[in-house]
Amino acid sequence: MKLLRHGPPGSEKPGLFDAEGRIRDLSGAVADIAGDTLTPEGLARLAALDPATLPVVEGEPRLGPCVGAVGKFICVGLNYADHAAESGMEVPPEPVIFAKATSAICGPNDPVRIPRGSEKTDWEVELGVVIGRTASYVDEADAMDHVAGYCVINDYSERASQNERSGQWIKGKSADTFGPIGPWLVTQDEVADPQDLAMWLEVDGHRYQDGSTRTMVYGVRHRVHYVSQFMSLQPGDIISTGTPPGVGMGQKPQTYLRAGQTVRLGIEGLGEQTQTAIAWNA
């Protein structure tokens, strides 16, 4: 299934993207694409529905973040060997984990606001893993039993705040609009191998990132296992699994996002996003 949320910010309704490319409203079946809806039992109930019986959403509604009420937004740093190389950094002996504030989450095609005074706003196409079953001290062999599905994430970063202001990365990762999620949550049964997905990102039509989840150092299974050793994960929590090479910081010379530019990105089978960069006060 391809699950989504549609409507104005803060008033999104649950939906389903059907085989004909139409949005079907799920408001009569579930309150939101969140929490218990993402458990194996919740997804089984949705899978049993006949999409043809659900109301068609007319027009082209705004798509909201494909998961609502996200409790934790966990990110992984330097998880692609080729990205670590372009950053001039060693592949870490254990996964590097940090967080984005959940207030950074927005829809996949909402504008991205460049933080006040920023000259180093950067992009990162990433595979998002959505948790569907509570995970605590999960064995790696059982980790996939706790995954509801996958989505596209753009892990926007303000590099000066991240690297030059004496603190944790969360400062450079958490500005409002720095976490577009979607367009859909694609359930695990529709993704044959999360470690073999092409991914790309363009700015104003120039392709900067053109990679694959094949070059992940620590794969999805290990990520869920590893994070669960330090905190419990609940349905609706999201792990963003790192980015391939091609970020602005890795260019020679370094290249960063400016107001008026358009970012497009996508992951094979998971859909595409488009964001227009605007000034903070626009």
Side-chain angles (χ1 to χ4, degrees):
M1 292 181 291
K2 294 181 173 66
L3 303 175
L4 54 86
R5 300 167 74 245
H6 60 95
S11 300
E12 292 93 347
K13 297 179 179 180
L16 180 151
F17 195 72
D18 71 15
E20 286 73 44
R22 295 171 297 191
I23 297 175
R24 300 278 184 165
D25 188 64
L26 283 171
S27 298
V30 293
D32 201 356
I33 307 300
D36 289 345
T37 299
L38 299 172
T39 64
E41 298 77 16
L43 293 178
R45 286 192 292 271
L46 292 183
L49 298 174
D50 179 358
T53 66
L54 301 171
V56 174
V57 178
E58 301 293 347
E60 297 183 4
R62 169 189 174 267
L63 295 181
C66 59
V67 180
V70 176
K72 290 189 284 296
F73 195 175
I74 306 299
C75 299
V76 177
L78 300 174
N79 192 33
Y80 283 70
D82 36 10
H83 172 54
E86 77 166 347
S87 301
M89 302 178 75
E90 297 288 334
V91 173
E94 288 191 39
V96 173
I97 59 175
F98 59 96
K100 288 176 89 80
T102 55
S103 54
I105 293 173
C106 65
N109 303 316
D110 290 346
V112 57
R113 291 183 177 273
I114 295 179
R116 187 177 299 167
S118 172
E119 296 181 353
K120 295 184 178 182
T121 294
D122 207 346
W123 53 80
E124 297 187 15
V125 59
E126 303 202 2
L127 173 68
V129 179
V130 181
I131 299 299
R133 175 183 285 160
T134 298
S136 181
Y137 295 105
V138 171
D139 289 338
E140 189 165 344
D142 301 324
M144 302 306 284
D145 295 339
H146 298 263
V147 174
Y150 307 96
C151 63
V152 180
I153 292 175
N154 194 343
D155 175 22
Y156 279 110
S157 310
E158 207 297 311
R159 299 301 189 188
S161 298
Q162 178 186 353
N163 298 322
E164 301 167 19
R165 298 194 63 178
S166 303
Q168 298 298 316
W169 288 2
I170 190 171
K171 291 196 295 189
K173 297 284 188 172
S174 295
D176 293 353
T177 74
F178 266 29
I181 295 174
W184 322 300
L185 185 166
V186 181
T187 51
Q188 187 179 174
D189 59 292
E190 293 197 6
V191 180
D193 184 359
Q195 304 307 150
D196 190 18
L197 300 175
M199 54 203 309
W200 57 272
L201 182 145
E202 298 175 349
V203 180
D204 286 349
H206 178 81
R207 184 157 294 199
Y208 282 95
Q209 294 191 271
D210 198 355
S212 170
T213 58
R214 290 191 303 271
T215 65
M216 274 191 195
V217 179
Y218 302 104
V220 171
R221 184 182 297 275
H222 184 76
R223 285 301 179 184
V224 175
H225 152 74
Y226 186 83
V227 174
S228 78
Q229 310 304 303
F230 303 96
M231 65 195 79
S232 62
L233 297 168
Q234 282 81 38
D237 287 349
I238 295 175
I239 301 174
S240 197
T241 55
T243 197
V247 300
M249 185 174 63
Q251 304 302 307
K252 299 185 186 304
Q254 293 181 342
T255 303
Y256 294 109
L257 196 62
R258 302 185 307 276
Q261 292 188 302
T262 298
V263 182
R264 290 183 61 243
L265 60 147
I267 298 179
E268 180 182 358
L270 304 184
E272 298 183 8
Q273 301 182 354
T274 301
Q275 295 108 34
T276 298
I278 61 175
W280 183 257
N281 294 323

